[in-house]
PDB file of all heavy atoms in Angstrom:
ATOM      1  N   PRO A  97      84.613 115.311 113.506  1.00 88.00           N
ATOM      2  CA  PRO A  97      85.668 114.301 113.324  1.00 88.00           C
ATOM      3  C   PRO A  97      86.313 114.347 111.947  1.00 88.00           C
ATOM      4  O   PRO A  97      87.510 114.062 111.827  1.00 88.00           O
ATOM      5  CB  PRO A  97      84.934 112.973 113.554  1.00 88.00           C
ATOM      6  CG  PRO A  97      83.489 113.271 113.389  1.00 88.00           C
ATOM      7  CD  PRO A  97      83.317 114.692 113.839  1.00 88.00           C
ATOM      8  N   LEU A  98      85.558 114.735 110.911  1.00 85.00           N
ATOM      9  CA  LEU A  98      86.158 114.866 109.583  1.00 85.00           C
ATOM     10  C   LEU A  98      87.179 115.998 109.566  1.00 85.00           C
ATOM     11  O   LEU A  98      88.254 115.870 108.968  1.00 85.00           O
ATOM     12  CB  LEU A  98      85.074 115.113 108.533  1.00 85.00           C
ATOM     13  CG  LEU A  98      84.195 113.919 108.163  1.00 85.00           C
ATOM     14  CD1 LEU A  98      83.118 114.335 107.166  1.00 85.00           C
ATOM     15  CD2 LEU A  98      85.028 112.775 107.576  1.00 85.00           C
ATOM     16  N   PHE A  99      86.867 117.106 110.227  1.00 86.00           N
ATOM     17  CA  PHE A  99      87.824 118.214 110.320  1.00 86.00           C
ATOM     18  C   PHE A  99      89.055 117.795 111.112  1.00 86.00           C
ATOM     19  O   PHE A  99      90.190 118.095 110.735  1.00 86.00           O
ATOM     20  CB  PHE A  99      87.164 119.427 110.975  1.00 86.00           C
ATOM     21  CG  PHE A  99      88.145 120.494 111.367  1.00 86.00           C
ATOM     22  CD1 PHE A  99      88.694 121.350 110.412  1.00 86.00           C
ATOM     23  CD2 PHE A  99      88.553 120.637 112.687  1.00 86.00           C
ATOM     24  CE1 PHE A  99      89.616 122.322 110.772  1.00 86.00           C
ATOM     25  CE2 PHE A  99      89.473 121.599 113.053  1.00 86.00           C
ATOM     26  CZ  PHE A  99      90.005 122.448 112.097  1.00 86.00           C
ATOM     27  N   MET A 100      88.833 117.098 112.233  1.00 87.00           N
ATOM     28  CA  MET A 100      89.943 116.663 113.068  1.00 87.00           C
ATOM     29  C   MET A 100      90.834 115.673 112.325  1.00 87.00           C
ATOM     30  O   MET A 100      92.056 115.663 112.509  1.00 87.00           O
ATOM     31  CB  MET A 100      89.422 116.041 114.355  1.00 87.00           C
ATOM     32  CG  MET A 100      88.696 117.007 115.278  1.00 87.00           C
ATOM     33  SD  MET A 100      89.733 118.403 115.783  1.00 87.00           S
ATOM     34  CE  MET A 100      90.956 117.560 116.782  1.00 87.00           C
ATOM     35  N   GLU A 101      90.244 114.841 111.464  1.00 87.00           N
ATOM     36  CA  GLU A 101      91.045 113.904 110.666  1.00 87.00           C
ATOM     37  C   GLU A 101      91.952 114.669 109.710  1.00 87.00           C
ATOM     38  O   GLU A 101      93.131 114.327 109.540  1.00 87.00           O
ATOM     39  CB  GLU A 101      90.110 112.966 109.893  1.00 87.00           C
ATOM     40  CG  GLU A 101      90.809 111.808 109.206  1.00 87.00           C
ATOM     41  CD  GLU A 101      91.345 112.158 107.825  1.00 87.00           C
ATOM     42  OE1 GLU A 101      90.814 113.114 107.223  1.00 87.00           O
ATOM     43  OE2 GLU A 101      92.291 111.490 107.357  1.00 87.00           O
ATOM     44  N   THR A 102      91.411 115.714 109.091  1.00 86.00           N
ATOM     45  CA  THR A 102      92.214 116.535 108.185  1.00 86.00           C
ATOM     46  C   THR A 102      93.336 117.231 108.940  1.00 86.00           C
ATOM     47  O   THR A 102      94.486 117.288 108.484  1.00 86.00           O
ATOM     48  CB  THR A 102      91.325 117.585 107.491  1.00 86.00           C
ATOM     49  OG1 THR A 102      90.262 116.922 106.805  1.00 86.00           O
ATOM     50  CG2 THR A 102      92.134 118.402 106.493  1.00 86.00           C
ATOM     51  N   PHE A 103      93.023 117.757 110.122  1.00 86.00           N
ATOM     52  CA  PHE A 103      94.038 118.427 110.951  1.00 86.00           C
ATOM     53  C   PHE A 103      95.142 117.444 111.331  1.00 86.00           C
ATOM     54  O   PHE A 103      96.333 117.785 111.281  1.00 86.00           O
ATOM     55  CB  PHE A 103      93.383 119.001 112.205  1.00 86.00           C
ATOM     56  CG  PHE A 103      94.357 119.620 113.162  1.00 86.00           C
ATOM     57  CD1 PHE A 103      94.831 120.912 112.964  1.00 86.00           C
ATOM     58  CD2 PHE A 103      94.819 118.913 114.266  1.00 86.00           C
ATOM     59  CE1 PHE A 103      95.734 121.485 113.851  1.00 86.00           C
ATOM     60  CE2 PHE A 103      95.725 119.472 115.143  1.00 86.00           C
ATOM     61  CZ  PHE A 103      96.182 120.760 114.936  1.00 86.00           C
ATOM     62  N   ALA A 104      94.756 116.227 111.725  1.00 88.00           N
ATOM     63  CA  ALA A 104      95.747 115.218 112.119  1.00 88.00           C
ATOM     64  C   ALA A 104      96.664 114.874 110.958  1.00 88.00           C
ATOM     65  O   ALA A 104      97.878 114.685 111.136  1.00 88.00           O
ATOM     66  CB  ALA A 104      95.047 113.958 112.622  1.00 88.00           C
ATOM     67  N   PHE A 105      96.086 114.806 109.746  1.00 85.00           N
ATOM     68  CA  PHE A 105      96.915 114.484 108.586  1.00 85.00           C
ATOM     69  C   PHE A 105      97.943 115.584 108.320  1.00 85.00           C
ATOM     70  O   PHE A 105      99.121 115.294 108.066  1.00 85.00           O
ATOM     71  CB  PHE A 105      96.042 114.280 107.347  1.00 85.00           C
ATOM     72  CG  PHE A 105      96.842 114.228 106.082  1.00 85.00           C
ATOM     73  CD1 PHE A 105      97.575 113.090 105.758  1.00 85.00           C
ATOM     74  CD2 PHE A 105      96.900 115.310 105.219  1.00 85.00           C
ATOM     75  CE1 PHE A 105      98.344 113.035 104.605  1.00 85.00           C
ATOM     76  CE2 PHE A 105      97.656 115.268 104.071  1.00 85.00           C
ATOM     77  CZ  PHE A 105      98.382 114.129 103.755  1.00 85.00           C
ATOM     78  N   PHE A 106      97.514 116.843 108.359  1.00 85.00           N
ATOM     79  CA  PHE A 106      98.461 117.940 108.111  1.00 85.00           C
ATOM     80  C   PHE A 106      99.521 118.003 109.206  1.00 85.00           C
ATOM     81  O   PHE A 106     100.690 118.312 108.938  1.00 85.00           O
ATOM     82  CB  PHE A 106      97.720 119.272 107.996  1.00 85.00           C
ATOM     83  CG  PHE A 106      97.066 119.478 106.656  1.00 85.00           C
ATOM     84  CD1 PHE A 106      95.692 119.503 106.538  1.00 85.00           C
ATOM     85  CD2 PHE A 106      97.835 119.622 105.516  1.00 85.00           C
ATOM     86  CE1 PHE A 106      95.092 119.682 105.298  1.00 85.00           C
ATOM     87  CE2 PHE A 106      97.249 119.799 104.264  1.00 85.00           C
ATOM     88  CZ  PHE A 106      95.859 119.830 104.159  1.00 85.00           C
ATOM     89  N   PHE A 107      99.123 117.705 110.437  1.00 86.00           N
ATOM     90  CA  PHE A 107     100.068 117.640 111.543  1.00 86.00           C
ATOM     91  C   PHE A 107     101.138 116.593 111.250  1.00 86.00           C
ATOM     92  O   PHE A 107     102.340 116.834 111.427  1.00 86.00           O
ATOM     93  CB  PHE A 107      99.295 117.298 112.824  1.00 86.00           C
ATOM     94  CG  PHE A 107     100.136 117.253 114.067  1.00 86.00           C
ATOM     95  CD1 PHE A 107     100.613 118.420 114.649  1.00 86.00           C
ATOM     96  CD2 PHE A 107     100.435 116.040 114.671  1.00 86.00           C
ATOM     97  CE1 PHE A 107     101.374 118.378 115.806  1.00 86.00           C
ATOM     98  CE2 PHE A 107     101.202 115.986 115.824  1.00 86.00           C
ATOM     99  CZ  PHE A 107     101.674 117.158 116.392  1.00 86.00           C
ATOM    100  N   GLU A 108     100.696 115.433 110.778  1.00 85.00           N
ATOM    101  CA  GLU A 108     101.627 114.361 110.407  1.00 85.00           C
ATOM    102  C   GLU A 108     102.519 114.780 109.245  1.00 85.00           C
ATOM    103  O   GLU A 108     103.739 114.582 109.271  1.00 85.00           O
ATOM    104  CB  GLU A 108     100.835 113.107 110.032  1.00 85.00           C
ATOM    105  CG  GLU A 108     101.672 112.002 109.403  1.00 85.00           C
ATOM    106  CD  GLU A 108     100.827 110.977 108.656  1.00 85.00           C
ATOM    107  OE1 GLU A 108      99.590 111.102 108.653  1.00 85.00           O
ATOM    108  OE2 GLU A 108     101.421 110.050 108.065  1.00 85.00           O
ATOM    109  N   ALA A 109     101.906 115.345 108.198  1.00 86.00           N
ATOM    110  CA  ALA A 109     102.641 115.665 106.973  1.00 86.00           C
ATOM    111  C   ALA A 109     103.736 116.697 107.215  1.00 86.00           C
ATOM    112  O   ALA A 109     104.840 116.599 106.655  1.00 86.00           O
ATOM    113  CB  ALA A 109     101.669 116.167 105.908  1.00 86.00           C
ATOM    114  N   ILE A 110     103.461 117.694 108.059  1.00 88.00           N
ATOM    115  CA  ILE A 110     104.457 118.736 108.335  1.00 88.00           C
ATOM    116  C   ILE A 110     105.704 118.137 108.971  1.00 88.00           C
ATOM    117  O   ILE A 110     106.838 118.378 108.526  1.00 88.00           O
ATOM    118  CB  ILE A 110     103.847 119.828 109.232  1.00 88.00           C
ATOM    119  CG1 ILE A 110     102.797 120.632 108.458  1.00 88.00           C
ATOM    120  CG2 ILE A 110     104.937 120.750 109.772  1.00 88.00           C
ATOM    121  CD1 ILE A 110     101.971 121.558 109.322  1.00 88.00           C
ATOM    122  N   PHE A 111     105.510 117.348 110.007  1.00 87.00           N
ATOM    123  CA  PHE A 111     106.659 116.773 110.700  1.00 87.00           C
ATOM    124  C   PHE A 111     107.327 115.671 109.882  1.00 87.00           C
ATOM    125  O   PHE A 111     108.537 115.442 110.023  1.00 87.00           O
ATOM    126  CB  PHE A 111     106.231 116.250 112.072  1.00 87.00           C
ATOM    127  CG  PHE A 111     106.049 117.334 113.085  1.00 87.00           C
ATOM    128  CD1 PHE A 111     104.806 117.901 113.297  1.00 87.00           C
ATOM    129  CD2 PHE A 111     107.130 117.818 113.801  1.00 87.00           C
ATOM    130  CE1 PHE A 111     104.637 118.921 114.223  1.00 87.00           C
ATOM    131  CE2 PHE A 111     106.983 118.833 114.729  1.00 87.00           C
ATOM    132  CZ  PHE A 111     105.720 119.393 114.936  1.00 87.00           C
ATOM    133  N   LEU A 112     106.558 114.983 109.031  1.00 86.00           N
ATOM    134  CA  LEU A 112     107.165 113.987 108.151  1.00 86.00           C
ATOM    135  C   LEU A 112     108.132 114.652 107.183  1.00 86.00           C
ATOM    136  O   LEU A 112     109.235 114.137 106.932  1.00 86.00           O
ATOM    137  CB  LEU A 112     106.074 113.232 107.382  1.00 86.00           C
ATOM    138  CG  LEU A 112     106.555 112.201 106.353  1.00 86.00           C
ATOM    139  CD1 LEU A 112     107.354 111.091 107.036  1.00 86.00           C
ATOM    140  CD2 LEU A 112     105.366 111.612 105.590  1.00 86.00           C
ATOM    141  N   GLY A 113     107.723 115.776 106.635  1.00 84.00           N
ATOM    142  CA  GLY A 113     108.615 116.507 105.730  1.00 84.00           C
ATOM    143  C   GLY A 113     109.880 116.962 106.417  1.00 84.00           C
ATOM    144  O   GLY A 113     110.988 116.848 105.871  1.00 84.00           O
ATOM    145  N   ILE A 114     109.734 117.470 107.642  1.00 86.00           N
ATOM    146  CA  ILE A 114     110.915 117.906 108.394  1.00 86.00           C
ATOM    147  C   ILE A 114     111.819 116.717 108.700  1.00 86.00           C
ATOM    148  O   ILE A 114     113.042 116.787 108.549  1.00 86.00           O
ATOM    149  CB  ILE A 114     110.486 118.606 109.700  1.00 86.00           C
ATOM    150  CG1 ILE A 114     109.661 119.861 109.388  1.00 86.00           C
ATOM    151  CG2 ILE A 114     111.712 118.982 110.529  1.00 86.00           C
ATOM    152  CD1 ILE A 114     109.047 120.511 110.617  1.00 86.00           C
ATOM    153  N   TYR A 115     111.216 115.609 109.115  1.00 86.00           N
ATOM    154  CA  TYR A 115     111.999 114.414 109.440  1.00 86.00           C
ATOM    155  C   TYR A 115     112.745 113.904 108.203  1.00 86.00           C
ATOM    156  O   TYR A 115     113.935 113.552 108.273  1.00 86.00           O
ATOM    157  CB  TYR A 115     111.070 113.321 109.968  1.00 86.00           C
ATOM    158  CG  TYR A 115     111.741 111.985 110.213  1.00 86.00           C
ATOM    159  CD1 TYR A 115     112.519 111.766 111.342  1.00 86.00           C
ATOM    160  CD2 TYR A 115     111.602 110.934 109.301  1.00 86.00           C
ATOM    161  CE1 TYR A 115     113.138 110.536 111.571  1.00 86.00           C
ATOM    162  CE2 TYR A 115     112.207 109.710 109.511  1.00 86.00           C
ATOM    163  CZ  TYR A 115     112.978 109.514 110.651  1.00 86.00           C
ATOM    164  OH  TYR A 115     113.587 108.313 110.861  1.00 86.00           O
ATOM    165  N   LEU A 116     112.058 113.873 107.078  1.00 82.00           N
ATOM    166  CA  LEU A 116     112.647 113.322 105.864  1.00 82.00           C
ATOM    167  C   LEU A 116     113.827 114.151 105.376  1.00 82.00           C
ATOM    168  O   LEU A 116     114.840 113.590 104.924  1.00 82.00           O
ATOM    169  CB  LEU A 116     111.576 113.234 104.766  1.00 82.00           C
ATOM    170  CG  LEU A 116     112.009 112.643 103.424  1.00 82.00           C
ATOM    171  CD1 LEU A 116     112.392 111.184 103.580  1.00 82.00           C
ATOM    172  CD2 LEU A 116     110.899 112.795 102.392  1.00 82.00           C
ATOM    173  N   TYR A 117     113.725 115.463 105.472  1.00 82.00           N
ATOM    174  CA  TYR A 117     114.741 116.332 104.881  1.00 82.00           C
ATOM    175  C   TYR A 117     115.767 116.834 105.903  1.00 82.00           C
ATOM    176  O   TYR A 117     116.516 117.764 105.614  1.00 82.00           O
ATOM    177  CB  TYR A 117     114.074 117.513 104.168  1.00 82.00           C
ATOM    178  CG  TYR A 117     113.336 117.065 102.934  1.00 82.00           C
ATOM    179  CD1 TYR A 117     111.943 117.007 102.924  1.00 82.00           C
ATOM    180  CD2 TYR A 117     114.025 116.659 101.793  1.00 82.00           C
ATOM    181  CE1 TYR A 117     111.253 116.581 101.800  1.00 82.00           C
ATOM    182  CE2 TYR A 117     113.350 116.229 100.664  1.00 82.00           C
ATOM    183  CZ  TYR A 117     111.966 116.185 100.677  1.00 82.00           C
ATOM    184  OH  TYR A 117     111.287 115.743  99.561  1.00 82.00           O
ATOM    185  N   THR A 118     115.789 116.233 107.071  1.00 82.00           N
ATOM    186  CA  THR A 118     116.821 116.625 108.055  1.00 82.00           C
ATOM    187  C   THR A 118     117.707 115.449 108.425  1.00 82.00           C
ATOM    188  O   THR A 118     118.345 115.467 109.484  1.00 82.00           O
ATOM    189  CB  THR A 118     116.162 117.200 109.333  1.00 82.00           C
ATOM    190  OG1 THR A 118     115.191 116.280 109.839  1.00 82.00           O
ATOM    191  CG2 THR A 118     115.518 118.538 109.048  1.00 82.00           C
ATOM    192  N   TRP A 119     117.771 114.439 107.581  1.00 78.00           N
ATOM    193  CA  TRP A 119     118.721 113.355 107.814  1.00 78.00           C
ATOM    194  C   TRP A 119     120.141 113.918 107.791  1.00 78.00           C
ATOM    195  O   TRP A 119     120.468 114.777 106.961  1.00 78.00           O
ATOM    196  CB  TRP A 119     118.586 112.289 106.735  1.00 78.00           C
ATOM    197  CG  TRP A 119     117.451 111.343 106.976  1.00 78.00           C
ATOM    198  CD1 TRP A 119     116.243 111.342 106.356  1.00 78.00           C
ATOM    199  CD2 TRP A 119     117.416 110.254 107.904  1.00 78.00           C
ATOM    200  NE1 TRP A 119     115.454 110.332 106.841  1.00 78.00           N
ATOM    201  CE2 TRP A 119     116.149 109.638 107.793  1.00 78.00           C
ATOM    202  CE3 TRP A 119     118.336 109.745 108.837  1.00 78.00           C
ATOM    203  CZ2 TRP A 119     115.777 108.550 108.562  1.00 78.00           C
ATOM    204  CZ3 TRP A 119     117.973 108.657 109.600  1.00 78.00           C
ATOM    205  CH2 TRP A 119     116.710 108.065 109.465  1.00 78.00           C
ATOM    206  N   ASP A 120     120.965 113.436 108.682  1.00 75.00           N
ATOM    207  CA  ASP A 120     122.377 113.839 108.787  1.00 75.00           C
ATOM    208  C   ASP A 120     122.550 115.294 109.199  1.00 75.00           C
ATOM    209  O   ASP A 120     123.649 115.845 109.117  1.00 75.00           O
ATOM    210  CB  ASP A 120     123.112 113.599 107.452  1.00 75.00           C
ATOM    211  CG  ASP A 120     122.999 112.155 106.993  1.00 75.00           C
ATOM    212  OD1 ASP A 120     123.048 111.257 107.852  1.00 75.00           O
ATOM    213  OD2 ASP A 120     122.843 111.935 105.771  1.00 75.00           O
TER     214      ASP A 120
END
Side-chain angles (χ1 to χ4, degrees):
L98 287 177
F99 168 77
M100 294 301 293
E101 189 274 337
T102 303
F103 176 81
F105 168 76
F106 281 113
F107 182 73
E108 170 198 358
I110 290 170
F111 283 93
L112 177 62
I114 298 173
Y115 174 78
L116 181 65
Y117 291 106
T118 53
W119 279 103
D120 304 322

